[in-house]
Amino acid sequence: MPPAGTPATTEATIEAGRIRRNWLLAAPALALLLIGASGPLLIVLVYSFLEPGDYSGVIWKFTPRAWFEIFLKRDIFDGTLGVADAHLTIFWRSVRLSLLTTLITILLGFPTAWFIATRPRSQRALWLFLITIPFWTNLLIRTFAIMEVIRNQGVMNTVLLQAGLIAEPIQILYTDTAVLIGMTYVYLPLMVLPLYAAIDRFDFRLAEAGYDLYASRLQVLRRVILPLVRPGLIAGSILVFVPSLGAYVTPRVLGGGKNMMIGNFIELQFGQGRNWPLGAALSMLLLLIVMAALLVYVRVSGRENPHG
Amino acid sequence: MVPPSLQPAAGPSETPRIAVEARNASKAFGQGDALTRALDDVSVAIRKGEFFTLLGPSGCGKTTLLRLIAGFDTPTGGSILLNGRDITADPPNRRPVNTVFQSYALFPHLTVLQNIRFGLDMLGRKRAEADARAAEMLALVRLEGFASRRTAQLSGGQQQRVALARALAPEPEVLLLDEPLSALDLKLRKEMQRELKRLQRETGITFVFVTHDQEEALTMSDRIGVMQGGRILQIGPPREIYNQPANRFVADFIGETNFLDGEVGAIAGDTATIELAAGSVTVRSAGLDRGQKVTLAIRPEQVRIGEAEGLPAVVTGNVYFGTDTHCHLELSGGAGVVARLQSAADDATPLGEGTAVRVSFTPGSVQVLAD
Ligand SMILES: Nc1ncnc2c1ncn2[C@@H]1O[C@H](COP(=O)(O)OP(=O)(O)O)[C@@H](O)[C@H]1O
Ligand SMILES: [Mg+2]
């Protein structure tokens, strides 16, 4: 039946054309993704399997040495292999500080998000606006502001000294505590916003139902509220943990030169360390840790909503 | 146990025991110009084991009263008593009172069984005991096969049953139900009405049921409290509320009513004559003074249409309802009256428009409301 076949063919042609056009429209974005994200990543991956150059750069010779160097070191006197404990200290500090930052931002962020979500609708925009104000200034400037507060001659110590509460300044600057305070301050909004979104969706009648069914306030929090705002809690944790782990500016300014985190250590390899392959391998490792964290997130949130 | 409706009425020999009581309870929201008196000096005593209904239009304060009893809100005045003990300051988790929420408020992260067990777990019941009780509740609401379902996978009626089972599981002294059937379609609603009555009889638990549906209140309740504007206007059994409404609001809100304005004329012994525009009607004289302005309230089924005696009227139209026909009449003087004629009993052929008739009322059925 030619009359019936012709329109069908035309339709198929039109459909094919539409698909082609859609691909064309998506092409710039895809190209950007490919060149902008995958390209550099590939370069870093390749570099991690090369030998370091004498002063900088790489020598194009395949070796997995950089990857071993992350965990192992060769003794400079007898040449035996040992664990690279300096590296492990840095990893451990990074993970520990990032986890602590996440925990503290949860403890501070949850009540904050709860407070905002329980304001009348008309007031919430204002509170959310206030939360985002720190984003208006540069990260470096905010970090120096924290430094100004906690350094020995800074605001905090001066006030405490004048009040006679302490005899001499408390040394916080250039300690892990300083880094922790700085990261908590910087990343707190990233915890508050997803938590707010989750609490905003929470049906407060469920809390009443729990309270009505003999749950204490704490049990309502644990058995009803937390399970239901968990997606927001996990999203916030990822948003805080991931950048904390790769933090560079904050540990650099507040931790001084000594209390390095992975980010600073990577930078060191590309700078004074003159070991680009090690820097590249460390970057890839950081990426793997972040991906593992995201996978956990996907798994956990997938289990939360079997029907969603 | 004896169904509450069969228990002897309150008499001098036996005062019914009170389960829950509001004494001069008030609740105001906001302040200054924005002040809302959601509840205004409400006193009501609900008896043990009774099916008590709070009936009133939307916004009259029904939910507010339930929330005071449940403990979600504290009254701005007055007190709440449970078994004679003042519980006004107790938080909801210390009150042996459970609520079936209008929206059901089932926990979406828990299964049907976990929802039902929630209260038992919180009370620290032993695992085996809680399991047995939860299974019993599932059977009671006929959801045996649904224990491990998520609540989102249930229909509205099934969610309703889970909410009921969850609230009944901890064996509360009082069960509060806030318009639990309003979200269901008509057929399911009728079914759940019977189901609720059965559950109440089987458990013997005091039910405080909220509805804005007067028919639902009349068919289900042992007693009804009619509310309006934050106050309780009348408390009584359905028949009393229907036949002897305390005021015009109650008469109008419950069932259909003809209102006729008049004035008290001659009083002779225990009868009084009420002068209407169309003529006069004889009623009992108790509490009436000569010359007083009154309103007569007459149910449509108490209106009789005849030819010989009564108030002169003209038929203005007929509306057929299947089981009965509403005959609209205009009394001389202009007042409108509706008569309900049963299809089976009364003359099958309706009276034509413009037919001149005489209207009378069943003796004793006329309620006199003071203006
Ligand atoms: N939390 C509240 N804040 C302010 N006004 C309220 C609040 N809750 C109820 N009201 C007001 O109190 C009155 C009674 O409400 P409610 O008890 O919910 O009525 P019902 O349940 O009979 O429909 C209404 O006018 C309502 O607007
Ligand atoms: Mg209500």
Coordinates of all heavy atoms in Angstrom, one line a residue, chain B residues 128-188:
Chain B
A128 N 7.4 -10.3 72.2 CA 6.4 -11.3 71.9 C 5.0 -10.7 72.1 O 4.1 -10.9 71.3 CB 6.6 -12.5 72.8
E129 N 4.8 -10.0 73.2 CA 3.6 -9.4 73.6 C 3.1 -8.4 72.5 O 2.0 -8.4 72.0 CB 3.7 -8.7 74.9 CG 2.4 -8.2 75.5 CD 2.7 -7.3 76.7 OE1 3.6 -7.6 77.5 OE2 1.9 -6.4 76.9
A130 N 4.1 -7.6 72.1 CA 3.8 -6.6 71.0 C 3.4 -7.2 69.7 O 2.5 -6.8 69.0 CB 5.0 -5.6 70.8
D131 N 4.2 -8.3 69.4 CA 3.9 -9.0 68.1 C 2.4 -9.6 68.2 O 1.7 -9.4 67.2 CB 4.8 -10.2 68.0 CG 6.2 -9.8 67.5 OD1 6.3 -8.7 66.9 OD2 7.2 -10.5 67.7
A132 N 2.1 -10.2 69.3 CA 0.7 -10.8 69.4 C -0.3 -9.7 69.3 O -1.3 -9.8 68.6 CB 0.6 -11.5 70.7
R133 N -0.1 -8.6 70.0 CA -1.1 -7.5 70.0 C -1.2 -6.9 68.6 O -2.3 -6.6 68.1 CB -0.6 -6.4 71.0 CG -1.5 -5.2 71.1 CD -2.8 -5.5 71.8 NE -3.7 -4.3 71.7 CZ -5.0 -4.3 71.9 NH1 -5.6 -5.5 72.1 NH2 -5.7 -3.3 71.8
A134 N -0.1 -6.7 67.9 CA -0.1 -6.1 66.6 C -0.9 -7.0 65.6 O -1.7 -6.6 64.8 CB 1.3 -5.8 66.1
A135 N -0.6 -8.3 65.7 CA -1.3 -9.3 64.9 C -2.8 -9.3 65.1 O -3.7 -9.3 64.2 CB -0.8 -10.7 65.1
E136 N -3.2 -9.1 66.4 CA -4.6 -9.0 66.8 C -5.2 -7.8 66.2 O -6.4 -7.9 65.7 CB -4.6 -9.0 68.4 CG -6.0 -9.1 69.0 CD -5.9 -8.8 70.5 OE1 -4.8 -9.1 71.1 OE2 -6.8 -8.2 71.0
M137 N -4.5 -6.7 66.2 CA -5.0 -5.5 65.6 C -5.2 -5.6 64.1 O -6.2 -5.1 63.6 CB -4.0 -4.3 65.9 CG -4.1 -3.8 67.4 SD -5.7 -3.2 67.8 CE -6.2 -4.4 69.0
L138 N -4.2 -6.2 63.5 CA -4.3 -6.4 62.0 C -5.6 -7.2 61.7 O -6.3 -6.9 60.7 CB -3.1 -7.2 61.5 CG -1.9 -6.4 61.1 CD1 -0.8 -7.3 60.7 CD2 -2.3 -5.5 59.9
A139 N -5.9 -8.2 62.5 CA -7.1 -9.0 62.3 C -8.3 -8.2 62.5 O -9.3 -8.3 61.8 CB -7.0 -10.2 63.2
L140 N -8.2 -7.4 63.6 CA -9.4 -6.5 64.0 C -9.8 -5.6 62.8 O -11.0 -5.4 62.6 CB -9.1 -5.7 65.2 CG -10.2 -5.0 65.9 CD1 -11.2 -6.0 66.5 CD2 -9.7 -4.0 66.9
V141 N -8.8 -5.0 62.1 CA -9.2 -4.1 61.0 C -9.1 -4.9 59.7 O -9.1 -4.2 58.6 CB -8.2 -2.9 61.0 CG1 -8.4 -2.1 62.2 CG2 -6.8 -3.3 60.8
R142 N -9.0 -6.2 59.7 CA -9.1 -7.1 58.5 C -8.0 -6.7 57.5 O -8.3 -6.5 56.3 CB -10.4 -6.9 57.9 CG -11.5 -7.5 58.9 CD -12.9 -7.2 58.4 NE -13.8 -7.8 59.3 CZ -15.0 -7.3 59.5 NH1 -15.4 -6.2 58.9 NH2 -15.8 -7.9 60.4
L143 N -6.7 -6.6 58.0 CA -5.6 -6.4 57.1 C -4.5 -7.4 57.3 O -3.4 -7.1 57.1 CB -5.0 -5.0 57.3 CG -5.8 -3.8 56.7 CD1 -5.1 -2.5 57.2 CD2 -5.9 -3.9 55.2
E144 N -4.9 -8.7 57.5 CA -4.0 -9.7 57.9 C -2.8 -9.9 56.9 O -1.7 -10.0 57.2 CB -4.7 -11.1 58.1 CG -5.5 -11.2 59.3 CD -7.0 -10.9 59.0 OE1 -7.2 -10.1 58.1 OE2 -7.8 -11.3 59.8
G145 N -3.2 -9.8 55.6 CA -2.2 -10.0 54.6 C -1.3 -8.8 54.3 O -0.4 -8.9 53.4
F146 N -1.4 -7.7 55.0 CA -0.7 -6.5 54.6 C 0.4 -6.1 55.5 O 0.9 -5.0 55.4 CB -1.7 -5.4 54.5 CG -2.8 -5.6 53.4 CD1 -3.9 -6.4 53.6 CD2 -2.6 -4.9 52.2 CE1 -4.8 -6.5 52.6 CE2 -3.5 -5.1 51.2 CZ -4.6 -5.9 51.4
A147 N 0.8 -7.0 56.4 CA 1.7 -6.6 57.5 C 3.0 -6.0 57.0 O 3.5 -5.0 57.5 CB 2.1 -7.9 58.3
S148 N 3.6 -6.5 55.9 CA 4.9 -6.0 55.5 C 4.8 -5.0 54.3 O 5.8 -4.6 53.8 CB 5.8 -7.2 55.1 OG 5.1 -8.0 54.1
R149 N 3.6 -4.6 54.0 CA 3.5 -3.5 53.0 C 3.9 -2.2 53.5 O 3.8 -1.9 54.7 CB 2.0 -3.4 52.6 CG 1.4 -4.6 51.8 CD 1.6 -4.4 50.3 NE 0.9 -5.5 49.7 CZ -0.3 -5.3 49.0 NH1 -0.7 -4.1 48.9 NH2 -0.9 -6.3 48.5
R150 N 4.4 -1.3 52.6 CA 4.6 0.1 52.9 C 3.3 0.8 52.9 O 2.4 0.4 52.1 CB 5.5 0.7 51.9 CG 6.9 0.2 51.9 CD 7.7 1.0 52.9 NE 9.0 0.4 53.2 CZ 10.1 1.1 53.7 NH1 10.0 2.3 54.0 NH2 11.2 0.4 53.9
T151 N 3.1 1.8 53.7 CA 1.8 2.5 53.8 C 1.4 3.1 52.4 O 0.3 3.3 52.1 CB 1.8 3.5 54.9 OG1 2.9 4.4 54.7 CG2 2.0 2.8 56.2
A152 N 2.5 3.6 51.7 CA 2.2 4.2 50.4 C 1.5 3.3 49.4 O 0.9 3.7 48.4 CB 3.4 4.8 49.8
Q153 N 1.6 2.0 49.6 CA 1.1 1.0 48.7 C -0.4 0.7 49.0 O -0.9 -0.3 48.4 CB 1.9 -0.3 48.7 CG 3.4 -0.1 48.3 CD 4.2 -1.3 48.6 OE1 4.3 -1.7 49.7 NE2 4.9 -1.8 47.6
L154 N -1.0 1.4 50.0 CA -2.3 1.0 50.4 C -3.3 2.0 49.8 O -3.0 3.2 49.6 CB -2.4 1.1 51.9 CG -1.5 0.1 52.7 CD1 -1.7 0.3 54.2 CD2 -1.7 -1.3 52.3
S155 N -4.6 1.6 49.7 CA -5.6 2.5 49.3 C -6.0 3.4 50.5 O -5.6 3.1 51.6 CB -6.8 1.7 48.8 OG -7.4 1.1 49.9
G156 N -6.8 4.4 50.2 CA -7.3 5.3 51.3 C -8.0 4.6 52.4 O -7.7 4.8 53.6
G157 N -8.8 3.6 52.1 CA -9.6 2.9 53.1 C -8.7 2.0 53.9 O -8.8 1.9 55.1
Q158 N -7.7 1.4 53.2 CA -6.7 0.6 54.0 C -5.8 1.4 54.9 O -5.6 1.0 56.0 CB -5.9 -0.2 53.0 CG -6.6 -1.3 52.3 CD -5.9 -1.8 51.1 OE1 -5.0 -1.2 50.5 NE2 -6.3 -3.0 50.7
Q159 N -5.4 2.6 54.4 CA -4.6 3.5 55.3 C -5.4 3.9 56.5 O -4.9 3.9 57.6 CB -4.2 4.7 54.5 CG -3.2 4.4 53.4 CD -2.7 5.7 52.7 OE1 -2.8 6.8 53.3 NE2 -2.0 5.5 51.6
Q160 N -6.7 4.1 56.3 CA -7.6 4.5 57.4 C -7.6 3.4 58.4 O -7.5 3.6 59.6 CB -9.0 4.7 56.8 CG -10.1 4.8 57.7 CD -10.0 6.1 58.4 OE1 -10.4 7.1 57.8 NE2 -9.5 6.1 59.6
R161 N -7.7 2.1 58.0 CA -7.7 1.0 58.9 C -6.4 0.9 59.7 O -6.4 0.6 60.8 CB -7.9 -0.3 58.1 CG -9.4 -0.5 57.7 CD -9.4 -1.5 56.6 NE -10.6 -1.3 55.8 CZ -11.8 -2.0 56.0 NH1 -11.8 -2.9 57.0 NH2 -12.8 -1.8 55.3
V162 N -5.3 1.1 59.0 CA -4.0 1.1 59.6 C -3.9 2.1 60.7 O -3.4 1.9 61.8 CB -2.8 1.2 58.6 CG1 -1.5 1.2 59.4 CG2 -2.8 0.1 57.6
A163 N -4.4 3.3 60.4 CA -4.4 4.4 61.3 C -5.2 4.0 62.6 O -4.8 4.3 63.7 CB -4.9 5.7 60.7
L164 N -6.3 3.4 62.3 CA -7.2 2.9 63.4 C -6.4 1.9 64.3 O -6.4 2.0 65.5 CB -8.4 2.3 62.9 CG -9.6 3.2 62.7 CD1 -10.7 2.5 61.9 CD2 -10.2 3.6 64.1
A165 N -5.9 0.9 63.6 CA -5.2 -0.2 64.3 C -4.0 0.4 65.1 O -3.8 0.0 66.3 CB -4.7 -1.2 63.3
R166 N -3.3 1.3 64.5 CA -2.1 1.9 65.2 C -2.6 2.6 66.5 O -1.9 2.5 67.5 CB -1.4 2.8 64.3 CG -0.2 3.4 64.9 CD 0.5 4.4 63.9 NE -0.2 5.6 63.7 CZ 0.2 6.7 63.1 NH1 1.4 6.6 62.5 NH2 -0.5 7.8 63.0
A167 N -3.7 3.3 66.4 CA -4.2 4.1 67.5 C -4.8 3.2 68.6 O -4.8 3.5 69.8 CB -5.1 5.2 67.1
L168 N -5.4 2.1 68.2 CA -6.0 1.2 69.1 C -5.1 0.2 69.8 O -5.3 -0.2 70.9 CB -7.1 0.4 68.4 CG -8.4 1.1 68.1 CD1 -9.3 0.3 67.2 CD2 -9.2 1.5 69.4
A169 N -4.0 -0.1 69.1 CA -3.0 -1.1 69.6 C -2.6 -0.9 71.1 O -2.6 -1.8 71.9 CB -1.8 -1.2 68.7
P170 N -2.3 0.4 71.5 CA -1.8 0.5 72.9 C -3.0 0.6 73.9 O -2.8 0.9 75.1 CB -1.1 1.9 72.9 CG -1.0 2.3 71.5 CD -2.1 1.6 70.7
E171 N -4.2 0.2 73.5 CA -5.4 0.2 74.3 C -5.5 1.5 75.1 O -5.5 1.5 76.3 CB -5.3 -1.0 75.3 CG -5.4 -2.3 74.6 CD -5.2 -3.5 75.6 OE1 -6.1 -3.9 76.2 OE2 -4.0 -3.9 75.8
P172 N -5.8 2.6 74.4 CA -5.9 3.9 75.0 C -7.2 3.9 75.8 O -8.2 3.2 75.5 CB -6.0 4.9 73.9 CG -6.5 4.1 72.7 CD -6.0 2.7 72.9
E173 N -7.3 4.8 76.8 CA -8.6 5.1 77.5 C -9.6 5.8 76.6 O -10.8 5.5 76.7 CB -8.3 6.0 78.7 CG -7.3 5.5 79.7 CD -8.0 4.9 80.9 OE1 -9.2 5.2 81.1 OE2 -7.4 4.1 81.6
V174 N -9.0 6.7 75.8 CA -9.9 7.4 74.9 C -9.3 7.5 73.5 O -8.0 7.6 73.4 CB -10.0 8.9 75.4 CG1 -10.9 9.7 74.5 CG2 -10.6 8.9 76.8
L175 N -10.1 7.2 72.5 CA -9.6 7.4 71.1 C -10.2 8.6 70.5 O -11.4 8.8 70.5 CB -10.0 6.1 70.3 CG -9.4 6.1 68.9 CD1 -7.9 5.7 69.0 CD2 -10.1 5.1 68.0
L176 N -9.3 9.5 70.0 CA -9.8 10.7 69.3 C -9.7 10.5 67.8 O -8.7 10.1 67.3 CB -8.9 11.9 69.7 CG -8.7 12.1 71.2 CD1 -7.7 13.2 71.4 CD2 -10.0 12.4 71.9
L177 N -10.8 10.8 67.1 CA -10.9 10.6 65.7 C -11.3 12.0 65.0 O -12.4 12.4 65.2 CB -11.9 9.5 65.3 CG -11.7 8.2 65.9 CD1 -12.7 8.0 67.1 CD2 -11.8 7.1 64.9
D178 N -10.3 12.6 64.3 CA -10.6 13.9 63.7 C -11.0 13.7 62.2 O -10.2 13.5 61.4 CB -9.4 14.8 63.8 CG -9.7 16.2 63.5 OD1 -10.8 16.5 63.1 OD2 -8.8 17.1 63.6
E179 N -12.3 13.8 62.0 CA -12.9 13.7 60.7 C -12.2 12.5 59.9 O -11.7 12.7 58.8 CB -12.7 15.0 59.9 CG -13.3 16.1 60.7 CD -13.9 17.3 59.8 OE1 -14.2 17.0 58.6 OE2 -14.0 18.4 60.3
P180 N -12.2 11.3 60.5 CA -11.4 10.2 59.9 C -12.0 9.8 58.5 O -11.3 9.2 57.8 CB -11.5 9.1 60.9 CG -12.7 9.4 61.6 CD -12.9 10.9 61.7
L181 N -13.2 10.0 58.3 CA -13.9 9.5 57.1 C -14.0 10.5 55.9 O -14.5 10.2 54.8 CB -15.2 8.9 57.4 CG -15.2 7.9 58.6 CD1 -16.6 7.4 58.8 CD2 -14.3 6.8 58.4
S182 N -13.6 11.7 56.2 CA -14.0 12.8 55.2 C -13.2 12.6 53.9 O -13.7 13.2 52.9 CB -13.7 14.2 55.8 OG -12.3 14.3 56.1
A183 N -12.1 11.9 53.9 CA -11.4 11.8 52.7 C -11.8 10.6 51.8 O -11.3 10.4 50.7 CB -9.9 11.6 53.0
L184 N -12.8 9.8 52.3 CA -13.2 8.6 51.6 C -14.4 8.9 50.8 O -15.2 9.8 51.1 CB -13.5 7.5 52.6 CG -12.4 7.2 53.6 CD1 -12.9 6.1 54.6 CD2 -11.2 6.7 52.9
D185 N -14.6 8.1 49.7 CA -15.8 8.3 48.9 C -17.0 7.7 49.6 O -16.9 7.0 50.6 CB -15.6 7.7 47.5 CG -15.4 6.2 47.5 OD1 -16.1 5.5 48.2 OD2 -14.4 5.8 46.9
L186 N -18.2 8.0 49.1 CA -19.4 7.8 49.9 C -19.6 6.3 50.3 O -19.9 6.0 51.4 CB -20.6 8.2 49.1 CG -21.9 8.2 49.8 CD1 -22.0 9.1 51.0 CD2 -23.1 8.4 48.9
K187 N -19.3 5.4 49.3 CA -19.6 4.0 49.6 C -18.6 3.5 50.7 O -19.0 2.8 51.6 CB -19.4 3.2 48.3 CG -19.9 1.8 48.4 CD -20.1 1.3 46.9 CE -20.4 -0.2 47.0 NZ -19.3 -1.0 47.4
L188 N -17.4 3.9 50.6 CA -16.3 3.4 51.5 C -16.6 4.1 52.9 O -16.4 3.5 53.9 CB -15.0 3.9 51.0 CG -13.8 3.2 51.6 CD1 -13.9 1.7 51.5 CD2 -12.5 3.6 50.9

